[in-house]
């Protein structure tokens, strides 16, 4: 139904200029036709930018680098080699992808405004290069699009030059539809889920096996290729290209603003933002002419301020959920009321015996400058085992978890994991540990708040499948296991603390790990939730998943653990079965003080 509505909307948008222009421009001045070509061009560029800036959350203000590359590729190959612009567009897109990877590799290491500033710097460098190599680019004087071979005019689809101006509308609309289709495909694919996860919480994304740098590079490359194709057509349409126009910072900002006004991270938002702003600004510029030079910039600013103040999520992001509730029958969800007990164990299901070592950490040391967070810590986890890690606050337990999952590199020592085929590997990154079968939760729960419960769990499921259908099926099965079936369509931000912790466990379980690291999943829960968490962990253990659990709820640790290690001040001070640990004077002293240890003795 949604696809049919989207296709119907696109068909209406395509028919609109052919129906409207003859009515409002009977003399055929070409003014409104130019406005619609501009709308389609900027909408296509905004959709392409949204893949990087909206889905991945990377605020690039140098997007016209690729627009200019496409424009110059089409014009230069035409002028110097007589090649048709369609071929120039393909070459330009390939060059744009290469340049995007070259730019993104160092820039993606930056965060916040520094990334945006670095893209502006690259834009200025490439603009100056276009000016410098004037033998090829025409320098600051620009480059006209060749329209004649001898005395014969290059007219027709091969050269993208037409006497019938409606053909420009068809090509511009086709580019917008292509950008929209690619945007939709990306958003509904595993890559799209990964991009949104990286945008929301990069550490949590890495924990479910996402190569954050790789997916951001992919978004950069796709966005660059689409933008370059648009630049090739628009350069031919304008009949003249120059560095100031093709590598324009104001144009790059406008494209980002259209996506922001329409709704960052939404598929159709960039188109709605462009449809709102461009006609108003272009009409003001055309009607007022030189008497109000720059007024279109004021229009952009006023619309942006109005949308940010009244609809901070943009047009689609703010109006879309209201329309779903109003006409789609989607009701508000009471997350506390819809959380259910975990699914019971199957009749006759028995716990598997403790087997061979599965994960080994040897002599782990982690130093932060002069601070030693862990010192010579060694642990072994066996198949089918629950290994408890306890110790007072600040003992170094979470640092140990970060070493066991690749979020921190050890200063010395190492971690190795046994794969299903018996081979041992020593991963050195979060996605490497995830590939080896290690999943984890976080001490401070990290759900992807902008996604639904189903989509959160699907992110874990995508670790083992590329199919969205299969990932959805796995998500629904895991949700039933942890008692979240009634909340699959709720946003993760609406969950209670207990619900959010269950969701994080579910996301990890959807990865189908062999080792599960649980970092204080019972912290802040009421006694009933603690009991349900204990039953859930037992069910996970009985399914064949080995567990390492950091926990302060001592009764739960003692009930669950087969083996316990105790850490204090970064050192392992005791290990053994729960019955021994409970009576160990060193453990009592670490928790309660020396006088209590003497009293217990």
């Amino acid at each position: 139904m949604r696809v049919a509505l989207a296709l119907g909307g696109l068909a209406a948008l395509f028919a609109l200029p052919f129906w409207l222009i003859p009515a409002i421009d009977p003399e055929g001045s070409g003014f409104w036709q130019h406005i619609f070509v501009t709308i389609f061009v900027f909408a296509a560029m905004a959709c392409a930018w949204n893949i990087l800036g909206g889905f991945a959350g990377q605020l690039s203000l140098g997007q016209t680098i690729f627009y200019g590359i496409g424009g110059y590729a089409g014009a230069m190959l035409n002028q110097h080699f007589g090649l048709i612009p369609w071929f120039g567009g393909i070459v330009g897109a390939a060059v744009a992808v290469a340049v995007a990877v070259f730019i993104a590799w160092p820039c993606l290491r930056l965060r916040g405004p520094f990334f945006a500033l670095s893209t502006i710097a690259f834009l200025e460098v490439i603009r100056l290069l276009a000016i410098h190599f004037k033998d090829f680019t025409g320098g600051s004087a620009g480059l006209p699009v060749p329209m004649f071979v001898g005395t014969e005019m290059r007219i027709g689809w091969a050269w993208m030059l037409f006497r019938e101006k409606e053909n420009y509308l068809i090509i511009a609309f086709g580019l917008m539809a292509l950008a929209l289709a690619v945007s939709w495909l990306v958003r509904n694919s595993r890559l799209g889920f990964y991009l949104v996860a990286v945008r929301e919480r990069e550490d949590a994304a890495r924990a479910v096996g996402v190569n954050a740098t790789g997916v951001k590079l992919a978004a950069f490359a796709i966005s660059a290729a689409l933008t370059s194709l648009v630049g090739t057509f628009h350069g031919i349409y304008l009949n003249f290209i120059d560095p100031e126009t093709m590598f324009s910072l104001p144009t790059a900002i406008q494209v980002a603003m259209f996506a922001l006004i329409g709704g960052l991270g939404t598929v159709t938002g960039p188109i709605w933002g462009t449809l709102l702003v461009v006609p108003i600004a272009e009409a003001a510029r055309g009607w007022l002419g030189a008497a109000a030079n720059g007024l279109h910039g004021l229009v952009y600013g006023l619309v942006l301020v109005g949308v940010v103040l009244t609809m901070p999520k943009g047009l689609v992001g703010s109006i879309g959920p209201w329309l779903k509730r109003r006409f789609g029958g989607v009701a508000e969800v009471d997350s506390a009321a819809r959380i259910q007990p975990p699914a019971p164990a199957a009749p006759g299901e028995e716990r598997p015996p403790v087997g061979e070592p599965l994960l080994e950490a040897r002599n782990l040391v982690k130093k932060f400058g002069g601070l030693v967070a862990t010192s010579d810590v060694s642990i072994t986890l066996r198949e089918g085992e629950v290994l408890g890690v306890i110790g007072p606050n600040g003992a170094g337990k979470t640092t140990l978890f970060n070493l066991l999952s690749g979020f921190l590199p050890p200063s010395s020592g190492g971690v190795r994991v046994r794969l299903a085929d018996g081979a041992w590997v020593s991963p050195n990154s979060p996605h490497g540990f995830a590939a080896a079968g290690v999943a984890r939760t976080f001490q401070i729960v990290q759900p992807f708040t902008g996604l639904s419960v189903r989509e959160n769990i699907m992110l874990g499921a995508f670790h083992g499948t590329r199919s969205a259908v299969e990932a959805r099926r796995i998500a629904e099965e895991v949700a039933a296991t942890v008692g979240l079936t009634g909340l699959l369509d709720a946003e993760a931000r609406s969950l209670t603390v207990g619900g959010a912790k269950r969701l994080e466990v579910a996301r990890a379980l959807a990865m189908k790990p062999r080792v599960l690291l649980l970092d204080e999943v019972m912290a802040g829960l009421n006694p009933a939730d603690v009991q349900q968490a204990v039953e859930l962990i037992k069910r996970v253990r009985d399914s064949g998943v080995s567990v390492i659990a950091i926990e302060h709820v001592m009764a739960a640790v003692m009930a669950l653990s087969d083996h316990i290690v105790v850490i204090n001040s970064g050192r392992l001070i005791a290990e053994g079965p729960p019955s021994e640990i409970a009576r160990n004077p060193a453990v009592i002293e670490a928790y309660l003080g020396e006088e209590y240890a003497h009293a217990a003795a």
Side-chain angles (χ1 to χ4, degrees):
M1 182 63 179
R2 294 173 63 183
V3 174
L5 288 173
L7 292 176
L10 272 178
L13 184 58
F14 177 69
L16 179 63
F18 295 96
W19 169 76
L20 185 63
I21 290 175
I24 61 177
D25 188 19
E27 297 180 0
S29 66
F31 172 70
W32 280 100
Q33 177 190 309
H34 171 72
I35 287 181
F36 274 102
V37 170
T38 303
I39 289 172
F40 294 153
V41 164
F42 276 104
M45 290 178 65
C47 284
W49 182 91
N50 189 53
I51 294 173
L52 178 64
F55 298 163
Q58 304 300 305
L59 183 60
S60 170
L61 295 180
Q63 200 70 0
T64 44
I65 291 173
F66 314 115
Y67 170 77
I69 287 173
Y72 271 96
M76 290 169 59
L77 291 176
N78 188 341
Q79 183 178 73
H80 298 305
F81 302 101
L83 298 176
I84 61 175
W86 299 99
F87 181 78
I90 295 172
V91 172
V95 173
V97 168
V99 172
V101 172
F102 174 78
I103 292 174
W105 189 253
C107 289
L108 287 176
R109 303 174 190 272
L110 304 174
R111 295 289 184 271
F114 300 104
F115 174 79
L117 291 172
S118 67
T119 60
I120 294 174
F122 272 105
L123 175 62
E124 182 63 14
V125 167
I126 292 180
R127 186 185 68 84
L128 292 175
L129 287 174
I131 293 174
H132 177 73
F133 292 102
K134 58 184 179 181
D135 290 341
F136 296 99
T137 65
S140 57
L143 198 67
V145 174
M147 300 182 67
F148 291 90
V149 178
T151 58
E152 182 181 353
M153 192 173 185
R154 292 174 169 175
I155 291 291
W157 279 87
W159 302 102
M160 286 190 195
L161 293 171
F162 309 99
R163 291 188 176 91
E164 301 80 13
K165 304 301 182 183
E166 294 81 5
N167 293 321
Y168 291 117
L169 281 172
I170 295 172
I171 296 176
F173 179 84
L175 288 170
M176 184 193 73
L178 173 64
L180 181 64
V182 171
S183 182
W184 184 86
L185 289 171
V186 167
R187 178 61 186 87
N188 290 280
S189 69
R190 182 170 73 162
L191 174 61
F193 278 82
Y194 281 178
L195 290 173
V196 174
V198 169
R199 180 193 72 197
E200 294 268 325
R201 295 183 186 273
E202 187 165 325
D203 280 348
R206 294 164 69 200
V208 294
V210 178
N211 183 340
T213 301
V215 298
K216 286 188 283 188
L217 277 173
F220 222 127
I222 294 170
S223 178
L226 291 172
T227 304
S228 177
L229 290 173
V230 176
T232 300
F233 162 73
H234 206 213
I236 300 297
Y237 171 75
L238 295 174
N239 289 325
F240 185 84
I241 59 175
D242 67 278
E244 295 299 326
T245 301
M246 302 308 290
F247 300 108
S248 167
L249 176 59
T251 301
I253 294 173
Q254 286 174 23
V255 168
M257 188 186 69
F258 296 148
L260 177 64
I261 291 173
L264 278 180
T266 62
V267 175
T268 60
I271 293 178
W272 288 107
T274 309
L275 283 171
L276 174 65
V277 180
V278 170
I280 300 173
E282 291 296 322
R285 178 155 47 183
W287 288 332
L288 297 176
N293 189 28
L295 182 65
H296 65 290
L298 176 62
V299 172
Y300 290 145
L302 290 175
V303 174
L304 179 61
V305 170
V307 170
V308 168
L309 290 178
T310 59
M311 293 180 288
K313 293 184 179 180
L315 297 175
V316 174
S318 298
I319 298 174
W322 178 84
L323 290 174
K324 285 183 179 179
R325 290 193 299 269
R326 180 69 177 81
F327 300 105
V330 179
E332 295 291 339
V333 177
D334 183 352
S335 62
R338 300 289 291 276
I339 294 177
Q340 303 151 348
E349 184 175 310
E350 295 183 359
R351 176 185 176 180
V354 174
E356 296 297 316
L358 187 58
L359 180 148
E360 292 182 348
R362 290 289 174 260
N363 309 112
L364 288 179
V365 176
K366 182 60 185 177
K367 298 179 180 179
F368 298 97
L371 174 66
V372 180
T374 59
S375 177
D376 197 31
V377 174
S378 297
I379 64 171
T380 299
L381 175 70
R382 300 177 181 277
E383 290 179 335
E385 182 180 48
V386 176
L387 176 64
V389 180
I390 65 173
N393 288 328
K397 303 184 297 299
T398 296
T399 299
L400 174 63
F401 258 37
N402 287 334
L403 294 170
L404 296 178
S405 55
F407 281 85
L408 287 175
S411 301
S412 63
V415 181
R416 65 176 192 159
V417 183
R418 185 163 61 86
L419 302 180
D421 61 4
W424 287 88
V425 295
S426 298
N428 57 10
S429 64
H431 64 269
F433 274 90
V438 179
R440 69 164 295 177
T441 67
F442 293 87
Q443 182 179 14
I444 299 174
V445 65
Q446 295 195 26
F448 302 112
T449 54
L451 300 179
S452 69
V453 168
R454 177 185 280 107
E455 290 171 328
N456 267 265
I457 305 175
M458 286 175 67
L459 276 163
F462 274 122
H463 179 68
T465 180
R466 290 182 176 274
S467 168
V469 174
E470 177 66 11
R472 181 181 294 267
R473 184 191 64 78
I474 295 171
E476 291 171 355
E477 288 182 358
V478 174
T481 300
V482 302
L484 291 175
T485 299
L487 292 168
L488 281 170
D489 294 318
E491 281 196 344
R493 63 167 52 92
S494 70
L495 297 180
T496 62
V497 173
K501 287 180 178 290
R502 285 199 200 185
L503 175 59
E504 198 164 67
V505 173
R507 190 176 66 205
L509 290 177
M511 297 171 63
K512 298 184 177 179
R514 303 179 71 222
V515 176
L516 179 60
L517 309 181
L518 300 176
D519 195 350
E520 298 191 27
V521 295
M522 301 181 202
L525 302 186
N526 59 48
D529 285 339
V530 168
Q531 182 58 40
Q532 290 184 4
V534 169
E535 295 302 320
L536 175 59
I537 295 172
K538 287 181 178 179
R539 180 79 189 276
V540 170
R541 176 202 64 193
D542 294 347
S543 70
V545 179
S546 302
V547 178
I548 304 179
I550 294 175
E551 200 52 69
H552 285 296
V553 182
M554 299 306 298
V557 173
M558 296 300 174
L560 280 170
S561 302
D562 301 295
H563 195 81
I564 294 178
V565 297
V566 187
I567 297 177
N568 188 29
S569 300
R571 295 181 177 275
L572 195 154
I573 62 171
E575 64 175 310
S579 57
E580 292 182 9
I581 294 298
R583 297 191 301 269
N584 190 308
V587 177
I588 297 172
E589 180 180 341
Y591 272 97
L592 301 176
E594 186 176 353
E595 65 276 15
Y596 287 94
H598 293 324

